[in-house]
Amino acid sequence: MAQEAAGRPPEETLSLWKREQARLKALLVDRDTEAWQRDPAFAGLHRVGGVDVSFVKGDSVRACASLVVLSFPELEASWPSERCPSWWIWCDGYRRRSQASCPRQVLLVDGNGVLHHRGFGVACHLGVLTELPCVGVAKKLLQVDGLENNALHKEKIRLLQAGGDTFPLTGGSGTVLGMALKSHSRSTKPLYISVGHRISLEVAVRLAQRCCRFRIPEPVRQADIRSREHIRRTLGHLGPSAPGQERAAPAPQGPLSLRSTEMAWPWKPHMTATSHAPGP
């Protein structure tokens, strides 16, 4: 308990973060804002970003945040590394005026959007900061507003038969907070999709499905692989295999650019941020 208390930020810091979260929440847009979102085939969508944070086991200070940009619909990493600046810096200051440097048009985030205790998860936070459409893609159900991973929920999962099947995540308040998605025909566990920013839930679900070669959407899966590899290489931590990282589908080979920086981030004191893309 003493160790947990030592790693917990002071109450005044937590209060500051909560106030900032509430301020940003007022800027959230939960509807489609882009032309490509209104096209059934997502015509006009060319670049999809995947964001993942990997934590170091037993380390309450350091973590690795990773961004991978893939082409759509090919889902191939093809953007030159020298034209993709650190995404932390871009989120913090450049925003959309740097869009031409690395034109990711939407972000899929390993985490939740409005499916959150305060209705503003990491996918919402990144979406508002970057002013980009953002989708929350969670591997586990966050039990908020009466949502429970109980027998009824597991029965609904069992009834998902084919890839693309869904059921709504309706909270006790009557609000639909997200959607459970069977992303692949061979998956036994669903994904939990929620709105992050500038996208509707229906489009968020369709896009997540279109980006899946396996259970996890490919942009998020590749970001997860790279963040874990960065931790293994730089910190010497092997850790468990990445969730959804099938042995038959290793990360793409070829040159890879890793750009790192230490910075403050609301839920962890220090993180290593990396942006990834193959060389030219």
Side-chain angles (χ1 to χ4, degrees), residues 110-254:
D110 185 357
N112 290 289
V114 299
L115 177 58
H116 182 265
H117 298 285
R118 287 179 291 277
F120 196 80
V122 62
C124 299
H125 199 132
L126 281 178
V128 170
L129 286 182
T130 61
E131 300 179 11
L132 284 172
C134 215
V135 178
V137 181
K139 304 179 188 78
K140 296 181 180 180
L141 176 67
L142 185 61
Q143 302 185 64
V144 299
D145 193 17
L147 292 173
E148 293 185 51
N149 189 17
N150 54 19
L152 176 60
H153 183 77
K154 291 174 182 176
E155 176 62 15
K156 289 181 180 180
I157 293 174
R158 190 186 67 80
L159 293 175
L160 298 176
Q161 296 297 312
D165 286 355
T166 63
F167 65 82
L169 301 169
T170 305
S173 63
T175 303
V176 176
L177 300 174
M179 199 75 71
L181 166 68
K182 185 180 178 72
S183 57
H184 193 277
S185 58
R186 292 191 295 274
S187 296
T188 58
K189 298 179 181 179
L191 297 175
Y192 298 99
I193 309 299
S194 57
V195 169
H197 185 53
R198 299 174 66 111
I199 197 167
S200 66
L201 181 58
E202 184 269 333
V203 171
V205 171
R206 285 200 299 113
L207 178 62
Q209 170 72 28
R210 283 286 303 274
C211 288
C212 287
R213 289 176 174 168
F214 306 96
R215 179 192 172 217
I216 308 301
E218 198 63 14
V220 174
R221 195 178 79 90
Q222 292 300 331
D224 179 77
I225 291 171
R226 284 160 170 75
S227 61
R228 288 170 182 268
E229 177 60 25
H230 184 76
I231 286 176
R232 280 194 293 268
R233 272 212 327 269
T234 61
L235 302 178
H237 292 264
L238 294 177
S241 298
Q245 182 180 338
E246 290 76 6
R247 294 181 181 275
Q253 300 300 309

Side-chain angles (χ1 to χ4, degrees), residues 32-48 72 96 99 104-108 132-135 197-200 203-204 206-207:
D32 296 324
T33 61
E34 312 300 311
W36 60 263
Q37 295 167 333
R38 296 187 285 274
D39 187 280
F42 296 128
L45 177 61
H46 304 295
R47 305 285 173 185
V48 180
F72 184 87
R96 290 182 78 89
Q99 182 98 339
R104 43 213 183 264
Q105 296 168 274
V106 61
L107 296 175
L108 302 183
L132 284 172
C134 215
V135 178
H197 185 53
R198 299 174 66 111
I199 197 167
S200 66
V203 171
R206 285 200 299 113
L207 178 62

Side-chain angles (χ1 to χ4, degrees), residues 47-58:
R47 305 285 173 185
V48 180
V51 176
D52 174 79
V53 177
S54 288
F55 298 92
V56 181
K57 187 175 181 180

Side-chain angles (χ1 to χ4, degrees), residues 79-111:
W79 198 250
S81 59
E82 71 275 11
R83 297 183 64 185
C84 190
S86 167
W87 73 283
W88 287 111
I89 297 173
W90 187 83
C91 288
D92 189 48
Y94 291 98
R95 299 196 178 190
R96 290 182 78 89
R97 68 186 175 87
S98 290
Q99 182 98 339
S101 298
C102 187
R104 43 213 183 264
Q105 296 168 274
V106 61
L107 296 175
L108 302 183
V109 181
D110 185 357

